[in-house]
Amino acid sequence: MQNKNVLNICLPDNFELFTDKVIERGWVGDTGKNRREIAGGISKMEAHILATIITQNNVKKSVETGVANGISTLAITQAIALNQGRHYGIDPVQFQEHQGVALTLLEQHQLLENFTLCHGPTHIEAPKLLDKNERFELVFIDGMHTFDYKFIDSFYGDLLLDVGGFLVFHDLLLPSVKKLFRFIKAQNKYRVILTPELQPSLYRKGRFTAAAFIKRKPYWYFWLNGFCNLLVLQKISNTEPPWNFFNNF
Ligand SMILES: C[S@@+](CC[C@H](N)C(=O)[O-])C[C@H]1O[C@@H](n2cnc3c(N)ncnc32)[C@H](O)[C@@H]1O
């Protein structure tokens, strides 16, 4: 694993992410009745950040919560296939709500053999992975967006993640994710990896910090809004705190 806390988007030569074209055309599925407009997936740039983490760190095993239309799944699986690795996707409604479009997308790009679908919610599927002693170097969290479900996703994500591995959250703009970030910061087990969008100028830092002060939020609260919707953390410790440890957040 790299030991830097700044990530610059850089993919291997001649490696083009399929998600660029899929996001540009705006739909997934096929020309039949399971064709769907893309809504709520990761952006092109976020796909490039995820693929950069995987290719630069030779990540071979990853898991995500929230497969849905499969945009993040496609980017992660394509990058991990380059490392001869495997990606796992947890989703309770891939066939009911999403008509299996993520699997169709992977099949269309010959990536189905590098992917395992865990069909169920995180609180049921993640314990099964733990039970099988599966270990991961990247966990991407983009499932149900309420605080309780996000907390469960990150709790199990942490248990499944090796030290040195990456815990990445989508939707940093959501209050539930910001709250969770405050909790994670207070545990001292992760460090923030800066992406290019998470490095505001001094002027903008000042403006956002002042706004946070007025609204009685932590100083970084609005930096995140202004610069990136993806939060990249790297696990730096596996140490369990004492039984009565509590840091306010
Ligand atoms: C924002 S979408 C994910 C988008 C996807 N990552 C992409 O980039 O295309 C969130 C999805 O999480 C899934 N989901 C809902 N509840 C979940 C749960 N309890 N555990 C895991 N996934 C869940 C649903 O399929 C829902 O559509």
Side-chain angles (χ1 to χ4, degrees), residues 40-42 66-68 70-72 91-93 98 121-122 142-145 149:
I42 60 168
V67 171
I71 306 302
S72 52
D91 197 305
V93 288
H98 305 296
T122 307
D142 195 16
M144 180 70 178
H145 292 320
Y149 281 90

Side-chain angles (χ1 to χ4, degrees), residues 7-13 15 48-49 51-56 196:
L7 179 136
N8 291 310
I9 298 172
C10 180
L11 294 173
D13 291 344
F15 179 74
H48 282 245
I49 292 176
T52 297
I53 295 172
I54 292 166
T55 52
Q56 284 189 352

Side-chain angles (χ1 to χ4, degrees), residues 63-198:
V63 59
E64 77 179 308
T65 67
V67 171
N69 289 329
I71 306 302
S72 52
T73 313
L74 180 62
I76 296 172
T77 311
Q78 187 188 358
I80 218 143
L82 210 60
N83 300 339
Q84 280 86 48
R86 172 160 292 275
H87 180 51
Y88 291 66
I90 301 177
D91 197 305
V93 288
Q94 176 56 212
F95 298 109
Q96 299 89 322
E97 204 174 298
H98 305 296
Q99 287 120 36
V101 286
L103 300 182
T104 308
L105 196 59
L106 292 174
E107 197 176 17
Q108 286 164 345
H109 294 91
Q110 282 86 48
L111 286 168
L112 211 43
E113 65 184 38
N114 295 84
F115 178 72
T116 301
L117 177 69
C118 305
H119 194 231
T122 307
H123 59 276
I124 305 284
E125 295 304 312
K128 291 185 195 163
L129 294 173
L130 277 173
D131 200 40
K132 289 189 212 150
N133 286 324
E134 302 283 5
R135 303 297 307 158
F136 297 89
E137 300 149 273
L138 172 84
V139 175
F140 178 57
I141 294 184
D142 195 16
M144 180 70 178
H145 292 320
T146 56
F147 180 79
D148 45 359
Y149 281 90
K150 285 274 178 234
F151 181 83
I152 295 276
D153 283 15
S154 87
F155 176 79
Y156 280 110
D158 175 61
L159 293 178
L160 290 164
L161 191 65
D162 286 334
V163 172
F166 297 88
L167 182 63
V168 182
F169 289 88
H170 197 222
D171 297 304
L172 193 47
L173 308 187
L174 292 175
S176 60
V177 181
K178 287 181 177 174
K179 188 82 170 171
L180 194 53
F181 179 38
R182 282 161 70 174
F183 171 74
I184 293 171
K185 269 170 75 102
Q187 308 304 298
N188 302 319
K189 283 167 75 178
Y190 286 85
R191 65 175 177 171
V192 178
I193 302 292
L194 293 175
T195 54
E197 295 64 39
L198 215 52

